[in-house]
Every structure is written in C-alpha cells, then in structure tokens.
Amino acid sequence: MSEEILVNVTPRETRVAVIENGMLQELHIERGWRRGVVGNLYKGKVQRVMPGMQAAFVEVGLDRAAFLHANDIVRPAPVANGEAVETPLPPPPSVPIMDLLRDGQDVVVQVVKDPIGSKGARLTTQISIPSRYLVLLPQSKVVGVSARIEDEAERQRLKSLVTDLAAAHGGHGYIIRTNAEGQPAEALAEDISYLARVWALVEQRSRDAAVGTCIYEDLTLPLRAVRDLMRRDVEKVRVDSRETSERLQAFAAKYMPVLAERIEHYSGERPIFDLYGVEDEIGRALDKEVPLKSGGYLVIDQTEAMTTIDVNTGSFLGQRNLEETVYRTNLEAAQAVARQLRLRNLGGIIIIDFIDMDDPEHRRQVLRTLEKALSRDHAKTTVYEFSPLGLVEMTRKRTVESLERQLSEPCPECGGRGSIKTAETVTYEIFREITRAVRQFEAARLLVIASPKVVARITDEESQSVAELEEFLGKSIRFQADEQYLQEQFDVVLL
C-alpha cells in the first residue's frame, strides 16, 4: 500500500492530508486563531468540586472551565513496608473526589479532549508526553508495548531495552509506540533523554507559573504529523511551504534520520490539494450521502448523541440473487464506512445499519472486513457483534471536533434542524398572528413583512382567505416582501 502525506500551509490555516493508494483517508486542520489544546499541560485551579458527579470544574485559562472526573485523577501510591507500591493506570474509582481535590486547590492537568460544542475541555492528571517512539508516563513505573507490535521477540527486546534505559533516567513509566518497532537502542535512548529534559522543564514551570498558564504545549500540526503519522510505508511527505518543509526536515533529521529524505518541498504551480483531488473529497465529506461503486450508497447522520450510518443497495441489482447482492453491497459498505469515519473524524457511539443478511457466515465476513479496514485507523475503535435488530454498534475515540463541525455551522434558515417550515405552514401562522394582534391591540391597518416566497403564496393562492380575514376583522391588511427575511420569519406591524 502506497501512502503519502500532503501539507498545505497558508498564513492562518494549516491542513494535513493522508493519501493511501491515491485516496484521501484523513484530514487534519489547524487554524492559527483556534489551535487545538489536546496534549497541552496547564497549571489550573479547582473552581468547584461536584461530589454528586464525582467530578470537578477546573479553571485553566480557556474560554470555559474544564471538566475533571475522579477516574482521571492520579491517586497517591499505596505504601507497603515504607515503599510506594506501583499500581496500574488508571486506578479504580474507589476514592470519593472530596478526598482527592478541594475547592481552590492548584493542580497540574493535561487536556485529553478539546472543547466540543457547549462542553468544556476534558482533563486528566494522569500525564503523558509523547515523543517519536515512546510516551512518557511520569507518574508510573510500568513499561507497556503497543498492541500493534505483534512479533513477540521484538516486544520483549523493546521492553527490556526501555526498562533498562528508564532506570537510568528517573525510573518513569513508558509506552512503546508502534513506530519503535525495529529501532536500535540508540534511537530509544535519545527519545528517553529528550523526554527527561521535557519533564524537568514541566516540573520547573509547574512550580513557578501562575494559575491558568500553559506549561507544556504539544507540537504544531505539521510537526505532529511527521511525529505521529510518518511510518516506513510513507513514501513522501510533500509540503507546499519552503519554510515549513525545512523545519520538518530539521526535525526529522534529529529524530528520524532514516526517513528525513522523504520530506520534500512542493513547488508546483497547481495547488497541492488540487493535484490530488483533495479539495473535491473534502466537499464530498460534508455530504450526507456517500455513493458506492456498486450503485449502493451510505447515509450518514451525525447527532449530538451518536452517529448513524444506513447502508442502501440503491441501483445495484447484482448478478445472482438477493442475498448475494446484499452481501456484496455490505462488504463494499464496510470498507467505505471505515474510510468515512477516518476522513470525517467521527467519534463516540456509531450505529451501522447494514442491509439485513440471513447467512451467519456473511455477517461474520462483513464484520471481519470492517475490523480489517479499521486496523489502519489511528484512533482507538471497538466493534461489537450484530445486535438482534441487525445493527452493528461500535465506538471510536473522539478527541477533537468532527470535520463537519470544524468546517460548518448550523444553517441560519433551519437552525440546524435540516428542514424548514413550508410556505403554506408559515402562511397560516401569519393568519393566526394577525388575529391575535388585532384582538390584543387597537389598529386601523396592518402590515405583514415576510419572505418573497411566503408573500407570493399569500397574494396568489390565499387572496380569497385574505379578503375573508379582512372582512372578519374589519381591518385592512397589506403584505410586503423583504429579501432579508428567511422563509420562517415574518413581522406583523400595527399601523
């Protein structure tokens, strides 16, 4: 599988696209005025402890107070024979939050989820700091290995190496990332040394900084993309900014010299995203319907509580029988769903309504196809078996807003409902409002201001109704169209 990373840099916005086999799979966006805060460390102050919720609100200098749950708070290590005993993270939620935090207390916290919608950021005190090959766990002594490193001998080699190296740098805990597979001891030692320097700086700033100060900030999007997304199967990283490409090359030369030569500056006349059709894909990623090559299609609905995906056969008739047609459509849909989840960055609870299949083996194959397609997803996903209703429930870890929420806002016409009242409905609302206003206030004449479509309907199709209303009320009614009014808006003015 060929993979490329494209970096598009403009003064106020940076975008990173991951291309696999010529198709856009992931899109990451960072805007200068609204950088994400996931991974940042802050010196915060507990604003209010909420025992009923087992949580606290913490002021960290963001627009809204952030949320810290008791499960995300590091407990003091238990002591046995005068020595602290290592406990796995996260610890069991057995201690009441009132025993862990108090109002007004200073606390060092890390953001694990950006503010989304009306919710503040989600925090933890279980701090982790990533580097190229490792993740530092300063409050732990456990060394873990990514599950994506499957070779048992390699897992043991890495764990042994990192355990020995960690003992010489404070004995902190580490998670060995997938990128560490096959790396020599020197590369891992350099990472541990780098993380030790970072943690020493964090400890110093946490003592000296004022409340509400960011004491550690994660890398900018282009540097994070190289650190987190660049693997051995990435053929090229193309950057359309010379300054950014030089910065990425210097970063890569220091931390991943073997891959540094794959970063290149793109100087073509044509915009880099146009060259790969990325702009068109972004536009399609905002549509509810996703066409499948077979003629079927997906319908994706993102709500506050969950995302639902409906699979339809559409015009696909198949070659053999109905069961085979449904099976083939569902196999294609499973791969398309995995891609759309990554591309649209959909998270939380996801319900997939595949077309009903009678054959249990077909169901198993569709689930296997979905799980295999999700294996390249960087976000943690969990897929469950078909439910009695024939639905597949799954979860995908969400840390930032979805692509739609980043690029779009609720429609001013419908307020985000996805539909608006018909001109006929608004017409009868106007008639009721006229009757209500005349009974409540004295007026000789009335002026109704509404959208052109509503006024046209009233004057054309409801002229008889208007005449009857004027006679009933004994008032003159005039209608005025205004282009500035949305279809559901109107005003009844008493003259």
Side-chain angles (χ1 to χ4, degrees), residues 169 190-202 254-255:
H169 289 81
E190 190 171 308
D191 254 26
I192 287 179
S193 178
Y194 161 75
L195 289 170
R197 293 194 300 271
V198 170
W199 181 240
L201 187 60
V202 166
K254 183 175 181 181
Y255 293 107

Side-chain angles (χ1 to χ4, degrees), residues 39-57:
N40 290 1
L41 296 178
Y42 291 88
K43 184 174 182 178
K45 183 183 288 291
V46 178
Q47 201 175 63
R48 188 180 180 190
V49 176
M50 311 283 287
M53 297 172 62
Q54 274 290 86
F57 289 101

Side-chain angles (χ1 to χ4, degrees), residues 337-357:
V337 165
R339 175 173 178 256
Q340 291 299 322
L341 295 181
R342 288 177 67 188
L343 177 55
R344 298 172 186 239
N345 197 22
L346 298 170
I349 300 170
I350 298 156
I351 307 293
I352 309 169
D353 185 8
F354 287 107
I355 308 165
D356 290 341
M357 293 175 287

Side-chain angles (χ1 to χ4, degrees), residues 270-491:
R270 196 175 172 193
I272 189 170
F273 273 22
D274 287 356
L275 189 67
Y276 288 79
V278 172
E279 298 291 7
D280 293 337
E281 286 289 339
I282 295 172
R284 286 192 284 270
L286 300 178
D287 294 338
K288 282 183 63 172
E289 286 195 9
V290 179
L292 303 176
K293 290 181 180 178
S294 64
Y297 61 94
L298 310 178
V299 179
I300 301 175
D301 277 304
Q302 185 183 354
T303 68
E304 193 68 27
M306 66 181 71
T307 297
T308 61
I309 303 176
D310 187 33
V311 182
N312 297 280
T313 54
S315 61
F316 182 42
L317 301 176
Q319 302 294 324
R320 298 180 186 175
N321 53 45
L322 178 60
E323 177 69 19
E324 188 68 21
T325 299
V326 166
Y327 175 53
R328 295 296 172 192
T329 303
N330 282 340
L331 284 177
E332 185 185 1
Q335 297 183 59
V337 165
R339 175 173 178 256
Q340 291 299 322
L341 295 181
R342 288 177 67 188
L343 177 55
R344 298 172 186 239
N345 197 22
L346 298 170
I349 300 170
I350 298 156
I351 307 293
I352 309 169
D353 185 8
F354 287 107
I355 308 165
D356 290 341
M357 293 175 287
D358 296 327
D359 189 337
E361 180 58 28
H362 285 176
R363 288 189 174 202
R364 282 193 292 271
Q365 290 297 337
V366 168
L367 268 183
R368 286 196 198 102
T369 300
L370 177 62
E371 290 167 348
K372 184 179 179 182
L374 288 168
S375 64
R376 293 186 63 82
D377 196 339
H378 301 287
K380 177 178 172 55
T381 58
T382 305
V383 181
Y384 298 93
E385 296 290 329
F386 276 88
S387 74
L389 294 176
L391 306 175
V392 171
E393 300 172 14
M394 64 169 289
T395 60
R396 184 174 185 270
K397 187 176 181 181
R398 173 171 56 193
T399 56
V400 297
E401 292 271 26
S402 68
L403 186 64
E404 180 186 350
R405 299 267 168 90
Q406 289 184 67
L407 300 181
S408 308
E409 63 182 10
C411 165
E413 185 100 2
C414 70
R417 296 197 313 267
S419 61
I420 58 174
K421 295 176 183 176
T422 64
E424 182 181 28
T425 300
V426 177
T427 296
Y428 299 138
E429 285 186 356
I430 290 172
F431 289 170
R432 287 193 295 273
E433 183 61 29
I434 289 171
T435 305
R436 188 180 299 116
V438 168
R439 288 174 177 171
Q440 194 170 357
F441 305 102
E442 286 294 328
R445 302 184 313 278
L446 293 96
L447 171 65
V448 176
I449 308 170
S451 70
K453 185 176 179 180
V454 171
V455 171
R457 189 187 186 285
I458 292 174
T459 54
D460 291 345
E461 301 177 35
E462 300 288 347
S463 56
Q464 182 64 34
S465 301
V466 173
E468 292 172 358
L469 188 61
E470 286 179 322
E471 184 178 352
F472 173 73
L473 298 173
K475 311 289 182 183
S476 171
I477 306 171
R478 186 163 63 89
F479 296 89
Q480 178 180 318
D482 191 324
E483 294 283 353
Q484 301 299 315
Y485 278 62
L486 302 176
Q487 185 159 305
E488 295 185 0
Q489 291 179 315
F490 63 86
D491 283 309

Side-chain angles (χ1 to χ4, degrees), residues 64-224:
R64 291 188 294 273
F67 182 82
L68 175 62
H69 194 272
N71 289 3
D72 298 317
I73 301 173
V74 173
R75 273 61 162 179
V79 175
N81 300 323
E83 293 187 6
V85 179
E86 180 63 25
T87 57
L89 292 175
S94 56
V95 184
I97 193 166
M98 296 295 288
D99 295 343
L100 299 171
L101 293 177
R102 65 181 186 279
D103 290 354
Q105 177 182 341
D106 289 354
V107 59
V108 175
V109 290
Q110 185 168 36
V111 178
V112 293
K113 185 182 289 187
D114 273 329
I116 295 178
S118 60
K119 299 177 182 176
R122 180 77 182 253
L123 304 176
T124 182
T125 65
Q126 298 164 9
I127 293 168
S128 61
I129 300 176
S131 66
R132 173 61 179 167
Y133 304 120
L134 305 167
V135 177
L136 170 67
L137 306 175
Q139 295 127 324
S140 171
K141 296 186 182 299
V142 173
V143 175
V145 186
S146 166
R148 293 189 179 182
I149 300 176
E150 297 178 354
D151 183 84
E152 190 56 39
E154 178 64 3
R155 291 174 65 87
Q156 290 301 323
R157 182 188 77 88
L158 290 171
K159 188 168 185 176
S160 176
L161 269 176
V162 172
T163 301
D164 293 343
L165 291 167
H169 289 81
H172 296 307
Y174 293 89
I175 295 172
I176 301 169
R177 305 181 69 175
T178 310
N179 290 335
E181 188 170 10
Q183 294 301 319
E186 294 77 14
L188 300 175
E190 190 171 308
D191 254 26
I192 287 179
S193 178
Y194 161 75
L195 289 170
R197 293 194 300 271
V198 170
W199 181 240
L201 187 60
V202 166
E203 288 187 305
Q204 179 190 331
R205 287 179 177 172
S206 65
R207 290 190 297 268
D208 303 338
V211 169
T213 302
C214 178
I215 57 178
Y216 168 81
E217 189 171 19
D218 204 0
L219 300 173
T220 60
L221 177 59
L223 292 173
R224 288 202 312 274

